[in-house]
Amino acid sequence: MAAPGSALASSSRRALRRFLDTASAPWGALTAPLQRQGAGVADVLTPVGARAASNQIVRARMKSVNNIKKITMAMKMVAASKLRTMQVKAENSRGMWQPFTALLGDAPSIKAEKKLIVVLSSDKGLCGGINSTSVKYTRTLFKLHKLEGEGKEVKMVLIGDKGKGQLQREYNKTFSQFFTETQKEGINFTQCAMISDEIVKNNKYDVLHMVFNKFESAVSFLPTVATIFSTDMFTTEEGLKVCKMDDYEMEGDDSQSDVMMNLAEFQMAAVLYNGMLENATSEMGARMSAMDNSTRNAGDVLARLTLSYNRSRQSAITTELIEIISGAAALEG
Amino acid sequence: MLARQGLRSSLRTWAAARPVLARGFAAEVENHQEAVVPEKFKEDWKKIAPNYDLPHFPSSYMAARPAVSSTMPTKLTVNFVLPHAFEMQAKEVDMVIVPATSGQMGVLPGHVPTIAELKPGLMSVHEGSDVKQYFVSSGFAFVHANSVADIIAIEAVPLDRLDPEEVRKGVQEYAQKVTNAKDDLERAEAQIGLEVHSALQAALGVSA
């Protein structure tokens, strides 16, 4: 037993010496395998079982990352299924605003004294960058109108919590009205007609700009600015150049101004209905891709954590074995 | 990476499976044409926000309308839209009769440009010997110089879907509500209901 025992003893003694040489502190030997991995694991130093404690931390992190992954995957599937139904509704509503634009034209840069900006945004978060995009374009429109001269008035109507949250710090004084929870029972024309009625009743404006994200595809949302004139604007010189109302005969029992008022309000309701549907569809699409990215990232983090966890677990086992073997060899030898 | 590919391929197949809207005057364009925006707008925009692209405008999402023809057009192009559907898209017809507030108005090819407000009533679309009848709730009808008629209604049902029994009951119910109304709001609501149901009855009576 002498020859193999002594060989084992010498090699294990060399291993022991290697461990003892790595660090001066008595616990340096214990942390050395962890440092060599460089896996970013927390170096929690305790007298006994240092490796076990940090491994528990890693395990806890893995569990929470896995939960996040499951939640974001579920959110993505919910958004994908809602996107399908909303997209059909949004596409079918696109016919509503086109006759108005064909009749009344689209002149976003028309000169006017009072402008009203209606910002469509979502109520819930975790939907990518669409709300930030709407807010960006609203800010630029605001500055554009102020650029035209002093005394130009701009007011804002907010639809949706996220837009309000982002704009209220800077533009709190320009807020006129605020609508929320518009998607609770689904978006329908009656609701949009009521909202547009409130907006038209309570605000004096010449030109209204509506900022929303039009849905082009599940990965592409186009920020759009729709321009709607008020009834007064139809009769001004600037307005007539764009909408050419003089060329048309008014048919009907009501007076011409009544018909024009109904026309302006109907256009407002139609454009708002389409805008809200498009924005809601964009919200679903953006949420789907944001949650998909989150799921993938959570999977990557989980993979890295699993690797480092297994590495540290295996090196702990190896260290234990070497200690035991060298201890046994020391006793024999 | 595999997950990303999976998502992209699923999006592609799903996008292909969506129904493609017929191309026409009331539908979308594939390539968005540049909206007519004055140069000054673009310059001002660049001054304020050089890093942001210009926003899109709804006029670039529409197909271009046909130009006004010099000769008398033979057919009327009708776009009939509802909030929840494109009922008719760029349909070439001979005549349309719409229920304007001043009475039934007939629209033929080459009609004078008109804006008409609609009241609840019967609308019929004539194409050769084929007549389609709808009951429309209110809306608007635009007739343009290029012989295109846009009819926008909030609700429209083909006549064969209406039940005469229900209509009769509705007329009686709302007539009672008008007499029993306590304040102006109730009376106005009851009168609207009565008007719509009477129009329904008249429409059914005419065709039935």
Side-chain angles (χ1 to χ4, degrees):
Chain A
M1 248 355 207
S6 58
L8 190 59
S10 59
S11 69
S12 54
R13 246 183 271 129
R14 255 182 275 131
L16 247 182
R17 214 177 293 128
R18 239 204 320 270
F19 275 127
L20 290 173
D21 283 344
T22 44
S24 50
W27 313 125
L30 293 173
T31 59
L34 293 174
Q35 280 164 3
R36 250 188 299 214
Q37 288 160 41
V41 172
D43 285 341
V44 175
L45 296 180
T46 55
V48 180
R51 275 169 239 110
S54 64
N55 252 8
Q56 265 172 14
I57 291 175
V58 175
R59 234 190 23 235
R61 252 196 94 184
M62 276 167 59
K63 194 160 163 233
S64 81
V65 169
N66 203 15
N67 282 339
I68 291 175
K69 186 172 162 203
K70 285 189 205 155
I71 291 171
T72 53
M73 187 141 70
M75 284 184 77
K76 170 196 151 207
M77 294 204 223
V78 166
S81 71
K82 284 193 181 166
L83 175 63
R84 244 165 293 217
T85 46
M86 297 242 51
Q87 189 177 0
V88 170
K89 276 178 86 172
E91 283 178 358
N92 284 335
S93 76
R94 282 176 186 166
M96 278 292 269
W97 58 264
Q98 291 185 6
F100 291 105
T101 310
L103 176 73
L104 300 167
D106 186 20
S109 64
I110 194 158
K111 299 265 175 292
E113 284 296 317
K114 298 204 185 101
K115 286 206 178 176
L116 187 69
I117 305 181
V118 176
V119 190
L120 301 183
S121 56
S122 66
D123 285 331
K124 302 197 189 125
L126 294 180
C127 53
I130 53 165
N131 292 323
S132 306
T133 312
S134 292
V135 165
K136 257 182 359 190
Y137 281 86
T138 308
R139 284 207 191 100
T140 318
L141 275 179
F142 186 87
K143 289 183 195 149
L144 250 179
H145 191 58
K146 288 291 183 187
L147 201 65
E148 284 179 21
E150 292 303 316
K152 298 285 184 178
E153 203 184 300
V154 185
K155 288 229 173 268
M156 291 196 198
V157 169
L158 286 319
I159 300 181
D161 284 318
K162 293 295 163 187
K164 181 186 177 220
Q166 287 193 32
L167 284 171
Q168 68 186 0
R169 200 141 44 99
E170 256 184 280
Y171 298 103
N172 210 354
K173 301 211 175 45
T174 63
F175 283 1
S176 162
Q177 279 175 304
F178 169 51
F179 297 89
T180 183
E181 291 197 358
T182 47
Q183 289 192 50
K184 218 161 167 198
E185 287 168 21
I187 299 172
N188 54 20
F189 190 77
T190 318
Q191 179 191 48
C192 293
M194 284 168 66
I195 295 176
S196 71
D197 201 27
E198 288 289 315
I199 295 178
V200 169
K201 256 195 310 194
N202 296 327
N203 292 294
K204 279 212 66 58
Y205 62 92
D206 293 323
V207 175
L208 189 149
H209 287 298
M210 200 179 301
V211 183
F212 60 98
N213 296 80
K214 180 178 140 76
F215 181 82
E216 195 187 3
S217 76
V219 295
S220 153
F221 319 109
L222 308 173
T224 310
V225 174
T227 311
I228 302 171
F229 294 165
S230 67
T231 323
D232 303 322
M233 201 68 192
F234 287 153
T235 46
T236 63
E237 200 188 302
E238 292 279 342
L240 280 174
K241 261 189 269 179
V242 174
C243 55
K244 303 190 190 53
M245 290 281 268
D246 279 344
D247 294 348
Y248 288 82
E249 267 189 34
M250 301 282 174
E251 180 79 31
D253 279 340
D254 305 325
S255 66
Q256 187 168 10
S257 57
D258 274 346
V259 174
M260 291 216 286
M261 198 161 70
N262 290 342
L263 185 67
E265 289 178 8
F266 194 22
Q267 183 190 20
M268 174 73 197
V271 175
L272 182 67
Y273 177 64
N274 175 251
M276 281 181 65
L277 276 175
E278 299 274 0
N279 207 50
T281 317
S282 304
E283 179 197 334
M284 289 301 150
R287 182 167 298 131
M288 191 177 88
S289 52
M291 290 297 105
D292 183 54
N293 282 339
S294 296
T295 311
R296 201 173 331 109
N297 291 340
D300 289 345
V301 167
L302 189 61
R304 263 189 301 128
L305 280 175
T306 311
L307 281 175
S308 89
Y309 173 75
N310 284 334
R311 259 205 304 266
S312 78
R313 192 178 50 88
Q314 285 161 6
S315 76
I317 293 171
T318 312
T319 320
E320 297 262 347
L321 280 174
I322 291 177
E323 281 176 8
I324 291 168
I325 292 166
S326 61
L331 280 174
E332 277 177 35
Chain B
M1 194 179 62
L2 289 172
R4 210 176 296 143
Q5 283 174 353
L7 176 67
R8 226 180 278 138
S9 64
S10 69
L11 282 175
R12 228 179 291 135
T13 50
W14 170 55
R18 243 180 15 175
V20 177
L21 293 173
R23 298 294 154 213
F25 299 136
E28 300 274 301
V29 273
E30 290 248 289
N31 344 315
H32 301 145
Q33 58 220 45
E34 283 297 311
V36 178
V37 190
E39 278 306 313
K40 186 159 183 310
F41 186 87
K42 290 190 193 161
E43 283 167 16
D44 285 341
W45 188 275
K46 284 269 173 290
K47 255 192 276 174
I48 296 175
N51 300 331
Y52 302 159
D53 293 331
L54 278 174
H56 297 260
F57 302 106
S59 46
S60 64
Y61 299 145
M62 275 173 62
R65 290 290 170 110
V68 181
S69 70
S70 44
T71 60
M72 184 68 109
T74 48
K75 289 273 198 185
L76 186 69
T77 317
V78 171
N79 296 321
F80 180 28
V81 286
L82 303 169
H84 54 84
F86 290 84
E87 196 63 35
M88 284 186 201
Q89 245 175 261
K91 197 144 184 267
E92 304 261 326
V93 299
D94 295 321
M95 181 173 75
V96 171
I97 304 179
V98 289
T101 42
S102 55
Q104 299 281 96
M105 179 175 96
V107 180
L108 289 157
H111 195 276
V112 155
T114 315
I115 299 176
E117 199 181 337
L118 305 178
K119 68 169 192 243
L122 188 66
M123 181 188 103
S124 46
V125 177
H126 300 253
E127 187 181 356
S129 54
D130 194 28
V131 178
K132 276 212 199 74
Q133 291 184 317
Y134 296 91
F135 184 84
V136 300
S137 71
S138 42
F140 264 88
F142 306 144
V143 185
H144 302 279
N146 49 11
S147 195
V148 173
D150 292 314
I151 304 168
I152 316 151
I154 302 188
E155 271 291 349
V157 275
L159 269 190
D160 46 24
R161 293 235 209 102
L162 294 171
D163 181 6
E165 218 12 79
E166 288 288 334
V167 171
R168 217 197 334 260
K169 269 194 260 175
V171 169
Q172 287 169 346
E173 187 191 327
Y174 279 97
Q176 234 176 6
K177 277 199 194 159
V178 169
T179 47
N180 297 345
K182 291 183 219 57
D183 57 30
D184 279 339
L185 182 65
E186 274 184 38
R187 194 173 305 122
E189 284 178 10
Q191 267 171 347
I192 292 171
L194 184 60
E195 194 186 312
V196 171
H197 279 83
S198 310
L200 271 166
Q201 208 174 33
L204 283 172
V206 161
S207 66

